[in-house]
Structures are given as C-alpha cells and as structure tokens.
Amino acid sequence: RYFRQFGEGTVVRLAMHRNPGLEVVLLEKGSTVWVAEGRTETLEAGTVYFTFPWEPHGGVRPFESGHVLRFVVVRLPGSRGKPRFPAELGLSRRDMQDCLKTLTGTPRRAFPSSELLRTVMQHLSRELWRKSPRRDGVIDGLTRVLVLELAECV
C-alpha cells in the first residue's frame, strides 16, 4: 500500500540517507543527535522526528548505542514543491493542505511527541508487523491519526 518502510529497535549507525517518503521517527529511549539538510538537532526520549523524501539526513556520531526508536516511512506522492498524501489515507483536502503547510513550513524536524502520537506509533507498528489484509482499515485510520497528530506536535 503506501508504507515504504517501518521498523523498531536500536540503530547503531545511521549514515546520511534519504527515504522514499515521509519518515516519522519516535525516539522511545535514550538520546541522539541527527542532522537533516544541514540542521543539527538533539533528540531525547519522547521526541518525534520527521523528514521528507528530498531531505538527506542521518546521525552526527558515527556509532551510537542505548537508544530505542520506532519509525514508519509513508509514501508521499508529488514533488518537493507540491507533495501530497496518498488518497488511501482518507485525509480531507483541507486536512491534507493544513498538515503539509505545517510540516513544510517549519525548518525544525524534532518536536516533543504527544501521548496520542506515541500510542498511535506503538499500535501502528504492531499492525504493520501482523501484515493482515483484514486490518488495512485499522492501518489507514492509525496512519491518518499519525499524520494529523504529527502536525499538531509541530
């Protein structure tokens, strides 16, 4: 569907890279220093971090340990100048425009996460690992809430 990648655990080395969609990362434990498009930010436990497909990003330190994270990469059709969310998410035109305006309008990528975002990431991760087509509606709903709540955190 519209997920490109997802996972959870510890990353020991995070080389500079780009993802094939909007990446949303929740740092659950520890701390780290990441850079996106030349902007360095420190992430502590409870931080949500996001990047767009056109943004190179990665860790500042060559090797890290002691942190735990969850991430999802959601397909983001369009281009740098006109990104959009997949229609399958069911976002209204207004919600999509508001979210994209908020997310593209900030130079920062790291923000304190809300309790709702943390809960949604945990449930979304679990549902994606299950890979049950009967749960597609649940995954769509959780992803829609994730996008809306990410914009609220920003």
Side-chain angles (χ1 to χ4, degrees), residues 9 15 18 33 39 42 45 73 81 83 88 95 107 109 112 114 116 132 136-138 147 153:
R18 291 183 188 166
V33 180
R39 177 169 280 109
T42 300
V73 178
E88 300 93 336
D95 282 344
R109 295 293 173 252
S114 66
L116 177 57
S132 171
D136 286 349
V138 172
V147 168
C153 289

Side-chain angles (χ1 to χ4, degrees), residues 81-129:
K82 284 210 164 248
R84 62 187 193 284
F85 289 104
E88 300 93 336
L89 285 183
L91 287 171
S92 71
R93 182 182 182 109
R94 180 178 177 195
D95 282 344
M96 186 182 312
Q97 289 173 339
D98 287 350
C99 287
L100 287 170
K101 182 178 179 181
T102 298
L103 298 177
T104 59
T106 180
R108 292 180 47 207
R109 295 293 173 252
F111 295 88
S113 69
S114 66
E115 183 179 338
L116 177 57
L117 188 138
R118 291 189 298 273
T119 300
V120 167
M121 283 289 284
Q122 290 169 354
H123 288 278
L124 183 57
S125 178
R126 184 181 66 221
E127 293 298 331
L128 290 168
W129 284 111

Side-chain angles (χ1 to χ4, degrees), residues 40-114:
T40 302
E41 295 184 77
T42 300
L43 285 70
E44 301 292 337
T47 299
V48 62
Y49 186 83
F50 73 95
T51 56
F52 291 104
W54 55 82
E55 294 179 320
H57 60 281
V60 171
R61 302 179 197 127
F63 295 97
E64 297 185 332
S65 63
H67 63 272
V68 177
L69 57 83
R70 289 180 198 272
F71 75 93
V72 294
V73 178
V74 180
R75 180 170 50 90
L76 195 65
S79 63
R80 183 179 191 144
K82 284 210 164 248
R84 62 187 193 284
F85 289 104
E88 300 93 336
L89 285 183
L91 287 171
S92 71
R93 182 182 182 109
R94 180 178 177 195
D95 282 344
M96 186 182 312
Q97 289 173 339
D98 287 350
C99 287
L100 287 170
K101 182 178 179 181
T102 298
L103 298 177
T104 59
T106 180
R108 292 180 47 207
R109 295 293 173 252
F111 295 88
S113 69
S114 66

